[in-house]
Amino acid sequence: LYPPGERWRGREPRPYAAGDWAPGDAYGEAARALRDAGLDVHSWVVLAHNSRMGAEHPATSVVNAYGDRYPWAPCIAQPATRAYLTALAAEAAVRPGEETRGTELESCGWYGLAHLHAHDKIAGVALGEAGQYLMSLCFCGSCRAGYAEQGLDPAELAGAVRRALEPVWRGGHEGEGWPAVEQLVGADVAAATRAWREETARTLQETVVAAVRAAAPAGFQVLLHADPVSYHCGADAGVDPGHILSVADGVVVPCTGGAHLLEPFAARAGNGTVLAANLTVVSGMGGSPATLAADAARAADLGATELRLYHAGLVSDADLAHVTEALSHAE
């Protein structure tokens, strides 16, 4: 959405130009229009979620226990990928000359099985948290080395994951939450995989936020899209609430269907911490614009200091009418 910087010359992987749908400095034009209308401008940077990168550079992708690659999920343990994500965050979050006031960093952590391609069809078996976690474990070279550092044999671990999932594929009940992961592969093995993955994610988040701050002017706000369950994967990266609020200025939390995920962050929030409740307002995407006012009030009761409405640019006229009505009564 902006002219590529010199930092990418000769580097692989590197970002792609947006193309004809957003030529030139589309971000700059939009930022100036918003600023002229009296609005603060914050950037939104998607990091470890890039299907084109996986298609053109397959070695960068997460590899599951069966040897399948997830091209939409760059492995954040690989040094080259970490360097790419850090450089991209620093460049895209802070656009010089546009008076960008802050940024939101999406998918700044592990991606996994979720968020498939349009024609992937595996929904015949609904996976719970344990199945999602095991299917999201990466077995690329970097992750195999990481498991070995934790005292695990990577080949034995992959076999254990496949054996654990066999009854799940046959429709067996996998249990709930982290205890189900421990039951499927053993508590010690589960803990070792989690230790490797959480350290990898934490250090990436620290490095990325530090790079953004180094490139930004004083007072620049840095938020992460986050989930308080640290072993979760996806656009809302699993984090430790206390740790991430010591690194970033706040978080954007998924609250569609319920705002309970705010509570662990609210318990660790300090003065000035931003806790933004993200509510989907597109009916066709599972949102509930008709209950926006009540949902926003509930989020505020649980500690939210701000709202995010996903995604105003995609709503129908009927959904937009509900949003307008709810916001017209907001205090």
Side-chain angles (χ1 to χ4, degrees), residues 117-176:
H117 290 297
H119 292 285
D120 285 334
K121 296 178 176 63
I122 64 166
V125 177
L127 295 177
E129 286 190 348
Q132 286 283 345
Y133 179 80
L134 294 179
M135 282 296 291
S136 297
L137 289 180
C138 182
F139 289 87
C140 73
S142 295
C143 286
R144 285 176 174 269
Y147 298 140
E149 292 174 4
Q150 296 292 327
L152 299 176
D153 181 292
E156 291 182 3
L157 173 61
V161 169
R162 293 192 296 269
R163 289 190 298 274
L165 287 169
E166 277 303 309
V168 177
W169 299 133
R170 293 195 295 269
H173 180 62
E174 65 182 73
E176 298 180 1

Side-chain angles (χ1 to χ4, degrees), residues 65-268:
Y66 297 90
D68 303 316
R69 293 187 181 275
Y70 298 156
W72 57 87
C75 176
I76 64 169
Q78 297 183 19
T81 299
R82 292 168 72 90
Y84 164 80
L85 296 176
T86 301
L88 176 62
E91 178 182 78
V94 186
R95 299 307 307 142
E98 302 306 340
E99 298 182 14
T100 303
R101 304 291 295 274
T103 192
E104 295 181 13
L105 303 176
E106 180 184 319
S107 58
C108 189
W110 288 102
Y111 235 86
L113 177 66
H115 208 315
L116 306 178
H117 290 297
H119 292 285
D120 285 334
K121 296 178 176 63
I122 64 166
V125 177
L127 295 177
E129 286 190 348
Q132 286 283 345
Y133 179 80
L134 294 179
M135 282 296 291
S136 297
L137 289 180
C138 182
F139 289 87
C140 73
S142 295
C143 286
R144 285 176 174 269
Y147 298 140
E149 292 174 4
Q150 296 292 327
L152 299 176
D153 181 292
E156 291 182 3
L157 173 61
V161 169
R162 293 192 296 269
R163 289 190 298 274
L165 287 169
E166 277 303 309
V168 177
W169 299 133
R170 293 195 295 269
H173 180 62
E174 65 182 73
E176 298 180 1
W178 187 250
V181 180
E182 295 177 325
Q183 184 174 8
L184 287 171
V185 296
D188 291 343
V189 170
T193 64
R194 187 169 177 176
W196 158 247
R197 288 171 64 82
E198 292 190 0
E199 176 66 14
T200 300
R202 277 197 304 270
T203 54
L204 175 68
Q205 290 152 5
E206 292 167 354
T207 301
V208 165
V209 172
V212 171
R213 293 202 191 282
F220 190 86
Q221 184 185 83
V222 182
L223 308 181
L224 266 71
H225 287 232
D227 182 315
V229 182
S230 59
Y231 60 88
H232 282 179
C233 301
D236 303 297
V239 299
D240 172 79
H243 171 260
I244 205 60
L245 293 182
S246 73
V247 174
D249 298 308
V251 289
V252 180
V253 183
C255 292
T256 301
H260 60 283
L261 293 181
L262 284 164
E263 294 180 273
F265 293 111
R268 300 298 188 94

